[in-house]
């Protein structure tokens, strides 16, 4: 569940008061707080939507790679969609079986391919081929390892980007050419796979974009994908079709569909098109974690200048890059609401030396006398928050607090400033 406001005005996530978390000296702010139980429930709900049909929910680890979260999703039977050797290693150590891993990415290094091919007894479930040029590279690494690598072809089905109903800043569409094998290159790709004894084509996949708030574009892409699977399955021993991730969440502007709606519509189409025996894969990231994480920040000071009201907080674009990078809007609310306080519109900004370190304009309580706004929560920060964080400006990585069963079950302390100082002093020292 996303955070709720209690009758006393305090914001609660996973039955825990966020005021208590924000004021707990063990964590400090900025701090990400996650409801691990709600994340596991997302995994269970999505898996249930397949109604016993063969499937894989491959959680896109890039959205949030914290161990307790990847472990919780693995524990409810999710696999992993990874995009680097490090993410692959993490997923396996969190209990995902090699069989349940798909590896996407347009530029996998030879070392990463070796890791994927060498995992478990038969390599990972599938290496997603994203270019014709990658095929001989994977074949050579598999052959050197004496293994047959399972691969899938990630096709770019050429769905009209306008029809996707997602925000242009977070649609992968705008640089789509980088991703997947274009339809025009598919015959060549299939020919190459067919003559490579060290490769077995087990699936076909596509991923059309992120933050989709309607099923139509996703299903249209799946239709193209399924038609393609039908065409080639007599030649290749396909075991799955992978319709990708992209299920949207409600950032405050509404999202009438649940992840399960995408799955049900796609599964129905799959059966209708005569592919019901194949496993259906999906690769959700954001929708598993986004609404179940908040970023807590303390107010450092207010500023009134040239008629503008500013609220300066201790979280910046290095902690949550989405507003700076995509002009994404996250709701910002006081952690403890003082019902008597008047409210004004404030520009909420962080301490980073960039004008884009700006979380937008939000209605927040004014300070009056001893009643001051102390902390705020930036909502829907569970996906692509910490995982995209950086230490720019010598800033710490935020703390992370994990909630389950109504209590704190673990935390990542903020990285100490001294760690950054030492790291930068060590720069260049290796050859001296
Ligand atoms: N599969 C593939 C091949 C992907 O490229 C992605 C996301 C996913 C799955 C997961 O998509 P999701 O279910 O999370 O939408 N940093 C951006 C989002 C980038 C998405 C990149 N690819 C953001 O903060 O909005």
């Amino acid at each position: 569940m996303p955070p709720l406001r209690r009758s006393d005005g305090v914001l609660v996530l996973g039955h825990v008061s966020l005021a208590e978390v924000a004021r707990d000296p063990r964590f400090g702010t900025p701090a990400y707080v996650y409801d691990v139980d709600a994340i596991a429930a997302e995994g269970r709900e999505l898996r249930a939507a397949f109604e016993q049909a063969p499937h894989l929910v491959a959680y896109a680890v890039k959205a949030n790679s914290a161990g307790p979260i990847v472990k919780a999703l693995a524990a409810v039977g999710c696999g992993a969609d990874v995009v680097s050797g490090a993410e692959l290693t993490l997923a396996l150590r969190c209990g995902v079986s090699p069989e349940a891993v798909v590896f996407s990415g347009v530029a996998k290094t030879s070392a990463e391919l070796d890791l994927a091919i060498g995992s478990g007894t038969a390599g990972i479930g599938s290496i997603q081929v994203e270019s014709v040029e990658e095929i001989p590279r994977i074949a050579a690494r598999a052959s050197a390892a004496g293994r047959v690598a399972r691969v899938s072809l990630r096709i770019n089905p050429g769905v009209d980007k306008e029809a996707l109903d997602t925000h242009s800043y977070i649609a992968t569409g705008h640089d789509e050419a980088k991703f997947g094998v274009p339809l025009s290159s598919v015959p060549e790709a299939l020919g190459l796979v067919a003559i490579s004894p060290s490769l077995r084509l087990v699936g076909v996949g596509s991923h059309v974009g992120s933050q989709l708030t309607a099923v139509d574009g996703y299903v249209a892409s799946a239709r193209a994908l399924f038609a393609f699977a039908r065409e080639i399955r007599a030649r290749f021993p396909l075991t799955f079709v992978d319709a990708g991730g992209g299920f949207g969440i409600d950032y405050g502007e509404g999202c009438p569909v649940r992840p399960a709606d995408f799955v049900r519509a796609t599964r129905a189409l799959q059966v209708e098109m005569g592919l019901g025996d194949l496993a259906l894969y999906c690769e959700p990231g954001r929708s598993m974690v986004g609404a179940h994480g908040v970023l807590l920040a303390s107010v450092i000071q207010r500023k009134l200048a040239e008629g503008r009201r500013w609220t300066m907080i201790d979280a910046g674009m290095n902690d949550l890059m989405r507003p700076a990078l995509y002009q994404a809007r996250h709701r910002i609310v006081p952690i403890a609401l003082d019902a008597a306080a008047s409210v004004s519109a404030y520009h909420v900004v962080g301490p980073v030396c960039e004008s884009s370190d700006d979380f937008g304009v939000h209605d927040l309580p004014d300070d009056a006398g001893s009643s001051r706004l102390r902390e705020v929560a930036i909502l829907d920060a569970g996906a692509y928050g910490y995982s995209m964080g950086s230490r720019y400006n010598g800033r710490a990585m935020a703390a992370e607090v994990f909630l389950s069963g109504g209590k704190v079950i673990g935390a990542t302390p903020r990285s100490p400033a001294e760690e950054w100082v030492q790291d930068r002093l060590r720069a260049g020292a290796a050859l001296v």
Side-chain angles (χ1 to χ4, degrees):
M1 267 210 298
L4 293 175
R5 195 169 293 282
R6 258 183 356 211
S7 55
D8 62 359
V10 166
L11 208 60
V12 169
L13 183 71
H15 307 289
V16 176
S17 151
L18 290 175
E20 273 167 38
V21 176
R23 292 168 196 176
D24 189 322
R26 292 176 299 169
F27 318 131
T29 56
Y32 278 97
V33 189
Y34 306 113
D35 182 349
V36 179
D37 295 343
I39 291 169
E42 290 284 0
R44 273 194 300 268
E45 181 183 328
L46 191 52
R47 292 201 59 211
F50 289 89
E51 294 175 351
Q52 319 289 330
H55 70 276
L56 178 71
V57 173
Y59 167 60
V61 172
K62 65 173 90 87
N64 190 322
S65 30
I69 289 175
V70 183
K71 282 180 191 164
L73 287 169
V76 297
C78 294
D81 166 38
V82 302
V83 292
S84 70
E87 281 191 0
L88 167 57
T89 304
L90 177 84
L92 297 178
R93 290 201 200 156
C94 287
V96 178
S97 82
E99 291 286 316
V101 178
V102 296
F103 190 165
S104 317
V106 296
K108 306 172 199 83
T109 65
S110 298
E112 288 174 327
L113 291 175
D114 289 346
L115 201 60
I117 292 163
S119 292
T121 52
I124 62 165
S126 164
I127 299 173
Q128 310 238 53
V129 169
E130 301 227 20
S131 64
V132 168
E133 291 78 359
E134 196 179 18
I135 297 170
R137 290 185 55 229
I138 306 172
R141 303 314 299 182
S143 163
R147 285 193 165 186
V148 174
R150 286 173 288 189
V151 297
S152 55
L153 208 58
R154 179 172 168 194
I155 62 160
N156 189 331
V159 169
D160 180 8
K161 275 175 249 164
E162 303 305 313
L164 279 179
D165 190 33
T166 184
H167 195 283
S168 63
Y169 286 105
I170 50 175
T172 38
H174 60 84
D175 52 3
E176 209 161 56
K178 181 173 115 169
F179 298 104
V181 176
L183 288 175
S184 57
S185 302
V186 162
E188 188 186 356
L190 291 176
L192 277 173
V193 173
I195 59 163
S196 305
S198 59
L199 300 182
R200 183 182 308 141
L201 185 71
V202 290
V204 293
S206 62
H207 172 82
V208 284
S210 205
Q211 183 54 15
L212 308 175
T213 52
V215 301
D216 314 28
Y218 189 83
V219 172
S221 154
R223 185 182 291 281
L225 180 73
F226 295 163
F228 173 59
R230 215 160 45 178
E231 219 176 278
I232 67 165
R233 75 179 298 196
R235 278 171 69 202
F236 297 95
L238 300 185
T239 59
F240 71 85
V241 282
D242 180 349
F247 314 146
I249 64 168
D250 180 6
Y251 282 107
E253 279 124 41
C255 179
V257 283
R258 293 282 301 151
D261 296 324
F262 288 87
V263 160
R264 278 191 283 267
T266 311
R267 174 71 196 163
L269 178 68
Q270 184 197 351
V271 172
E272 182 193 311
M273 291 179 71
L275 297 171
D277 58 317
L278 295 182
L280 177 60
Y281 286 17
C282 63
E283 303 169 358
R286 184 191 320 271
S287 56
M288 299 289 97
V289 291
H292 310 301
V294 297
L295 174 57
L296 305 185
S298 296
V299 175
I300 296 179
Q301 67 181 38
R302 285 354 236 290
K303 173 175 171 178
L304 180 62
E306 305 286 332
R308 282 182 170 228
R309 291 172 198 274
W310 304 88
T311 296
M312 281 133 175
I313 60 174
D314 65 358
M317 62 184 278
N318 71 297
D319 300 302
L320 179 64
M321 204 192 279
R322 302 191 70 257
L325 200 56
Y326 315 114
Q327 299 181 356
R329 184 172 170 87
H330 286 253
R331 286 169 286 188
I332 299 183
V333 296
I335 289 176
L337 200 61
D338 177 354
S342 56
V343 169
S344 304
Y346 287 86
H347 290 263
V348 180
V349 294
V352 174
C353 282
E354 298 274 349
S355 321
S356 56
D357 186 25
D358 188 331
F359 295 105
V361 178
H362 300 265
D363 286 340
L364 289 173
D366 300 314
D367 295 334
S370 61
S371 161
R372 309 184 71 79
L373 176 64
R374 291 175 63 181
E375 302 98 357
V376 293
I378 305 180
L379 305 189
D380 308 306
Y384 304 110
Y386 189 95
S387 67
M388 292 176 74
S390 82
R391 304 210 52 186
Y392 183 43
N393 277 199
R395 291 182 44 78
M397 289 300 287
E400 293 178 293
V401 181
F402 300 89
L403 311 175
S404 176
K407 58 181 200 300
V408 173
I409 55 155
T412 323
R414 244 169 348 122
S415 58
E418 182 61 18
E419 191 180 289
W420 181 84
V421 174
Q422 289 299 333
D423 178 74
R424 295 298 75 209
L425 286 172
R426 271 198 307 273
L431 294 183
V432 179

